[in-house]
């Protein structure tokens, strides 16, 4: 039985087994980052246009926005959603490879299958986070007049968020292993497998993984700050600097972290069914 450090350590090494696939995966994140950057720029331009529009009502102000801008935002949003689903589908496959103890990384040959898996991954993630969101939204509206009501709602929503996402890890892996989305909501089976592994070890692996993630992101943050300083000296254009850093982060950091997390999640499940 692998220890907590063995499980996380294997997850850290796994992405290096095929850096070509990591870079291909990273290209998806880089595109997402560029689309988000383009959407933000376009929204800023629209708000600038609305601010200087010489009309009184909000409806008339929005009528001044070129229809081409609206269509462009819609197209970019749709492309972003499709790529996000492909990313989730690849994460699904990483978990599958981890459960099956495969050392290579998943390929990108079956894009339609990856997209379908991404939809399942998204649905399960959304459902598990609906309850905390409902509490946060509904509670925020209902308790706003109450003294300290906001803090109570945020605390309850935060606790629910932690609980739901701790279960979500095993839920997604259970779905992947059985290739049935219904298995992600079989709470009896999910909690039994966590118990089989041991709640202490389960929570320990998840927390240790998050700590390692925080350390990696802190180190990456320092590196990117220094890199942006050097780029700023050479280029001295804020938008270009942001774009370059976004591409680097997307190509290298996001795919590594994503594969690392999902490899560990698959390993957790694999150990739970071997006990």
């Amino acid at each position: 039985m692998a220890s907590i450090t063995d499980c996380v350590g294997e997850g850290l090494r796994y992405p290096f087994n095929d850096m070509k696939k990591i870079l291909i995966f990273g290209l998806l994140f880089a595109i997402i980052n560029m689309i988000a950057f383009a959407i933000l720029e376009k929204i800023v331009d629209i708000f600038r246009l609305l601010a200087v529009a010489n009309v009184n009502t909000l409806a008339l102000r929005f009528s001044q926005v070129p229809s081409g801008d609206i269509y462009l935002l819609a197209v970019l949003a749709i492309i972003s959603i499709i790529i996000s689903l492909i990313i989730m589908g690849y994460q699904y496959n990483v978990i599958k490879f981890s459960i099956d103890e495969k050392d290579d990384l998943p390929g990108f040959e079956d894009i339609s299958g990856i997209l379908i898996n991404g939809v399942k991954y998204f649905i399960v993630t959304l459902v598990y986070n609906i309850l905390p969101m409902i509490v946060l939204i509904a509670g925020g509206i209902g308790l706003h007049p109450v003294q300290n009501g906001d803090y109570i709602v945020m605390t309850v929503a935060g606790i629910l968020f932690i609980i739901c996402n701790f279960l979500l890890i095993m839920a997604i892996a259970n779905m992947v292993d059985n290739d049935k989305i219904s298995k992600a909501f079989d709470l009896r089976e999910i909690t039994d497998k966590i118990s089989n592994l041991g709640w202490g070890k389960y929570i320990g692996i998840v927390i240790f993984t998050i700590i390692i993630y925080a350390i990696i992101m802190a180190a990456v943050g320092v590196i990117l700050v220094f890199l942006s300083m050097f780029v700023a000296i050479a280029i001295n254009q804020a938008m270009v600097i942001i774009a370059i850093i976004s591409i680097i982060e997307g190509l290298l950091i996001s795919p590594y972290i994503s594969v690392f997390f999902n490899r560990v999640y698959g390993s957790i499940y694999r150990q739970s069914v071997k006990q």
Side-chain angles (χ1 to χ4, degrees):
M1 182 175 64
S3 66
I4 291 176
T5 53
D6 289 340
C7 185
V8 176
E10 195 275 335
L12 288 170
R13 294 188 298 271
Y14 176 68
F16 294 105
N17 290 352
D18 195 331
M19 288 304 298
K20 181 179 178 181
K21 289 178 181 175
I22 287 293
L23 288 174
I24 294 173
F25 190 37
L27 185 61
L28 298 175
F29 285 99
I31 294 172
I32 284 284
N33 287 350
M34 288 298 94
I35 290 176
F37 183 71
I39 290 175
L40 179 61
E41 271 201 303
K42 184 55 65 177
I43 290 175
V44 169
D45 289 341
I46 290 174
F47 273 103
R48 285 174 180 167
L49 180 62
L50 293 175
V52 299
N54 190 24
V55 289
N56 295 325
T57 65
L58 186 61
L60 287 176
R61 284 178 181 271
F62 274 102
S63 68
Q64 305 298 310
V65 178
S67 58
D69 288 353
I70 303 299
Y71 293 141
L72 177 60
L73 286 174
V75 170
L76 290 176
I78 292 171
I79 294 173
S80 181
I81 291 170
I82 293 172
I83 295 176
S84 296
L85 291 175
I86 293 174
I87 288 173
M88 292 180 189
Y90 191 78
Q91 293 172 335
Y92 182 109
N93 290 346
V94 169
I95 294 174
K96 180 62 176 175
F97 272 46
S98 179
I99 293 172
D100 294 341
E101 297 188 77
K102 294 181 179 180
D103 292 329
D104 56 328
L105 274 72
F108 295 89
E109 298 82 10
D110 185 12
I111 291 296
S112 60
I114 293 174
L115 191 59
I116 291 171
N117 289 340
V119 172
K120 292 189 287 188
Y121 195 111
F122 171 75
I123 290 173
V124 173
T125 302
L126 179 64
V127 171
Y128 269 82
N129 283 279
I130 281 179
L131 182 58
M133 288 190 292
I134 290 176
V135 171
L136 189 62
I137 295 172
I141 295 173
L143 293 176
H144 186 72
V146 181
Q147 187 177 11
N148 296 326
D150 290 341
Y151 298 106
I152 296 172
V153 170
M154 290 178 64
T155 301
V156 173
I159 292 172
L160 287 173
F161 176 81
I162 292 172
I163 293 172
C164 289
N165 279 274
F166 263 104
L167 293 174
L168 175 63
I169 295 168
M170 187 64 77
I172 289 179
N174 199 44
M175 170 185 68
V176 171
D177 188 38
N178 294 279
D179 198 26
K180 291 181 180 179
I181 195 169
S182 60
K183 286 293 185 178
F185 306 105
D186 190 337
L187 293 180
R188 173 64 67 85
E189 187 172 313
I190 290 167
T191 54
D192 283 348
K193 285 177 178 175
I194 296 175
S195 298
N196 197 35
L197 176 65
W199 283 90
K201 184 173 182 180
Y202 179 75
I203 295 172
I205 294 175
V206 174
I207 292 176
F208 187 54
T209 303
I210 293 172
I211 291 172
I212 296 298
Y213 163 79
I215 293 172
I216 292 173
M217 294 309 296
V220 168
V222 172
I223 294 172
L224 290 179
V225 166
F226 280 104
L227 180 60
S228 63
M229 290 171 60
F230 285 115
V231 175
I233 294 173
I235 299 177
N236 196 28
Q237 291 186 22
M239 290 298 184
V240 176
I241 295 170
I242 294 173
I244 292 174
I245 297 301
S246 296
I247 292 173
I248 293 174
E249 190 276 336
L251 280 175
L252 301 174
I253 310 306
S254 291
Y256 177 84
I257 292 297
S258 175
V259 170
F260 158 60
F261 263 115
N262 287 278
R263 180 70 177 186
V264 173
Y265 294 165
S267 297
I268 293 173
Y269 180 88
R270 186 175 69 245
Q271 289 191 52
S272 73
V273 297
K274 281 185 175 181
Q275 302 302 312

